[in-house]
Amino acid sequence: LYTSAVPRRILSWNVNGIRACVDKGFLDWLRRSKGDVVGLQEVDGGSFRSSRVNQVEYLAAQAKFPHYFQQLNRNLGHFAQHSNGLLSRLTPSHIEEHRLPGMLPGRGAIHVRYGEGPDALHIFVAHLALSHRGRVRQLNYLSDIIEPLRHVVVMGDLNCTPEQLHAHERFSTSLPLSPVKPLLSYPSWQPRRALDHILLSQTLEAADVRVLDHLFSDHLPIAVDLPLPAACLAAIQPSV
């Protein structure tokens, strides 16, 4: 049973650490996007490549997101601080960061929970490995966490196509991969590959799924308008 309340807008974007993330055009876009929860990949934590600006903190302040979280995955000191980021207008009940397994360190996932109990909403922001072997290990890891949860969103640059996700039996069992349709988001100037995803558990149904056409990065942002089941909305009500 779905609530008649206005759907929550979920956005995901690999911004590629670009300095344009903090320019006026990007901020104007972020404000107009009306995202309730925004997952960012390859944001910079405040190094040379971002002009010493912590992009997550800056974007939260400038776009008036009351809640934000930065996960530093690869710390190259003054040269680069590769991170995942979360911007949220809803109040998180709990945030946990996961270091994903792989041949090389530097991949991670943010797990944010809204609400309490079995009908809480769980959102994961992830950036997976380029190598097939690394992604398999990371999807196995995420599958173990997701499997017992009910209302789940997994979003991010997963560096694999819908077909590759479907081929991973454990992950597609723990999360039935709905919706997974080929949202071509990479490269942004001539999109040919669906590497960026917002995946939903069977208990959730998207009202709209789309790619947003903005050339600030080599990836295009993707968005889902998400009506919440009544039980889930009740569970997260203190967060709204």
Side-chain angles (χ1 to χ4, degrees):
L1 205 71
Y2 284 82
T3 177
S4 59
V6 175
R8 297 297 168 185
R9 180 162 293 173
I10 313 293
L11 287 87
S12 179
W13 199 355
N14 181 329
V15 300
N16 197 25
I18 53 174
R19 297 183 186 186
C21 278
V22 296
D23 73 14
K24 186 177 184 299
F26 184 93
L27 283 169
D28 286 346
W29 174 85
L30 186 59
R31 294 184 187 110
R32 291 195 309 270
S33 69
K34 301 185 184 303
D36 293 297
V37 180
V38 180
L40 300 170
Q41 303 90 55
E42 289 199 44
V43 278
D44 194 88
S47 71
F48 172 79
R49 72 175 187 153
S50 63
S51 300
R52 315 295 181 193
V53 173
N54 182 316
Q55 293 177 330
V56 180
E57 182 178 326
Y58 179 86
L59 292 172
Q62 295 298 313
K64 301 190 185 311
F65 282 88
H67 309 284
Y68 66 91
F69 185 82
Q70 176 204 356
Q71 179 190 35
L72 178 59
N73 292 317
R74 187 173 296 145
N75 188 351
L76 301 180
H78 297 299
F79 297 102
Q81 296 194 10
H82 301 278
S83 304
N84 290 330
L86 172 81
L87 309 176
S88 182
R89 302 196 188 281
L90 310 180
T91 303
S93 302
H94 181 74
I95 297 178
E96 184 176 0
E97 55 181 319
H98 296 273
R99 304 294 175 189
L100 298 179
M103 294 292 292
L104 297 173
R107 300 292 181 177
I110 300 170
H111 175 193
V112 56
R113 187 186 80 237
Y114 297 97
E116 306 291 341
D119 284 303
L121 177 64
H122 297 263
I123 295 182
F124 294 81
V125 180
H127 188 194
L128 301 190
L130 291 170
S131 74
H132 173 75
R133 180 177 296 182
R135 286 195 307 273
V136 168
R137 292 181 62 189
Q138 291 160 8
L139 289 170
N140 284 340
Y141 180 97
L142 290 172
S143 299
D144 290 339
I145 301 170
I146 291 167
E147 194 277 330
L149 305 177
R150 188 174 185 193
H151 307 298
V152 179
V153 177
V154 175
M155 62 175 165
D157 177 2
L158 305 187
N159 270 315
C160 55
T161 65
E163 293 75 20
Q164 290 170 314
L165 286 169
H166 279 295
H168 191 288
E169 185 175 352
R170 286 184 65 190
F171 187 70
S172 58
T173 299
S174 64
L175 191 72
L177 303 182
S178 172
V180 178
K181 61 182 184 179
L183 296 174
L184 303 180
S185 59
Y186 181 84
S188 58
W189 52 89
Q190 192 175 0
R192 296 186 300 273
R193 303 185 69 192
L195 303 180
D196 303 276
H197 303 280
I198 300 178
L199 311 175
L200 309 178
S201 58
Q202 272 186 321
T203 62
L204 303 174
E205 183 177 339
D208 190 21
V209 184
R210 61 196 180 281
V211 174
L212 306 177
D213 187 16
H214 292 277
L215 295 176
F216 293 106
S217 168
D218 59 345
H219 290 251
L220 292 174
I222 59 175
V224 164
D225 288 341
L226 185 64
L228 295 174
C232 182
L233 186 65
I236 73 168
Q237 198 61 47
S239 303
V240 176

